[in-house]
Amino acid sequence: MTSAAARTALDLTADLPLPALEDLYRDLHRHPELAFREHRTAAGLAKSLTAAGFDTAEGIGGTGVTGLLRNGDGPTVLLRADMDALPVEERTGLPYASQAPGVMHACGHDMHVTWLTGAAQALAAGRDAWSGTLIVVGQPAEESGQGAAAMVADGLYDRVPRPDVLLGQHVAPGPVGLFGHRAGLILSATTDVDIVVHGRGGHGSRPETTVDPVVTAAYLVTRLQTVVSREVAPRESAVLTVGRIEAGTAANIIPATARISLNLRTQSAAVRDRMVEAIRRIAQGECLAAGCPREPEVTLGDAFPATVNDLATHDRIAGVHREVFGSAAVFDPGPAMGSEDFAQLAEGEGGLPYCFWFVTSTPDEVWDAAEGEDLMARIDAVPSNHSPLFAPDLAVVAPGVRTLVAGALAYLVS
């Protein structure tokens, strides 16, 4: 028997204004904005929430937006969408491709804002069918890992009630019509690490008078590849990526410094700490071996917490999604090495319960051409988040709205 929440979700989303929502998505995609610069996006979201009957607030944590709809007694549910884009040059060839040079919604946050807008409108229009308090949040700066924390630090929960549950979702590669749910760990923690190697610069014709930091950096990059393979247990999952190397100004000048930027992906604090210690030790050792005049500088940068779904919350949300979309549409993608700052809205470990899930979005023609023997292999073969070719199918607008509505109603309908 279908639950009242599932039946109500289907009723409230039966006649979504899809042309308007698709137009909104195209407009957001054309006008991407980087972290903490989402002024146009935030203003548009606030305007639509106000028109739907929400009490709105802007400028929280920089460019964050909230909408509050009190609708009698009942639980308080928070729905969140992130708003920022990436410094990526778009190569999709879409007629609504980014008009901002070097900036693209390559992670689908434009779709997230569209989903949140549609869900807020549907729930506001159908408020006779549910009871409680609904909070919607447009969050800045997810890509930098700073936006959620900035909103909380700026008094988010002084401006809106503390929710009983937080719900969020993310567009992902995969055939349209699937929803990735996982109890417990679903996304990994991330830590950025910067290393500065100090050498002694000089003329390219006289290397014997210098200490070449480029050579030392090259050895360091190679040696760092052993951190995961030799210092992390096989039962643990971890990734170390060297994402950037910078040194020098001309071919005939040996520079004085070289800079290396790393990204760590881990699923436990213990593994993360072990990797950071190994990075410090290897950097110091390589610089000592090269005769560098100073020890290297190793600095920890932006960090994202792990995303760990509350078991009871996951079961409730995955359950209503199975009712709405069918059991075959809900699958377990396993814990991903990607990261999110959504958990910071829950105020850390032991804070507010939450559930975060995925909505697959690859266009049919791209998916049908993908090679691979199983679902996950084919997902790996299609353009993914952060790719200049990432382009969610507009067919996911309605399902993404419906997942948020169903999730909220799982708490707001008795």
Side-chain angles (χ1 to χ4, degrees), residues 85-123:
L86 284 161
V88 172
E89 188 72 38
E90 183 162 355
R91 292 172 45 209
T92 63
L94 291 168
Y96 50 88
S98 170
Q99 296 177 0
V103 182
M104 176 194 174
H105 267 299
C107 203
H109 297 182
D110 47 353
M111 187 62 76
H112 300 174
V113 175
T114 302
W115 286 337
L116 187 70
T117 300
Q121 292 172 343
L123 287 163

Side-chain angles (χ1 to χ4, degrees), residues 37-61:
R37 304 180 198 173
E38 311 94 333
H39 302 289
R40 184 180 186 275
T41 305
L45 177 60
K47 182 178 179 180
S48 68
L49 293 176
T50 300
F54 287 79
D55 293 327
T56 59
E58 300 179 65
I60 304 173

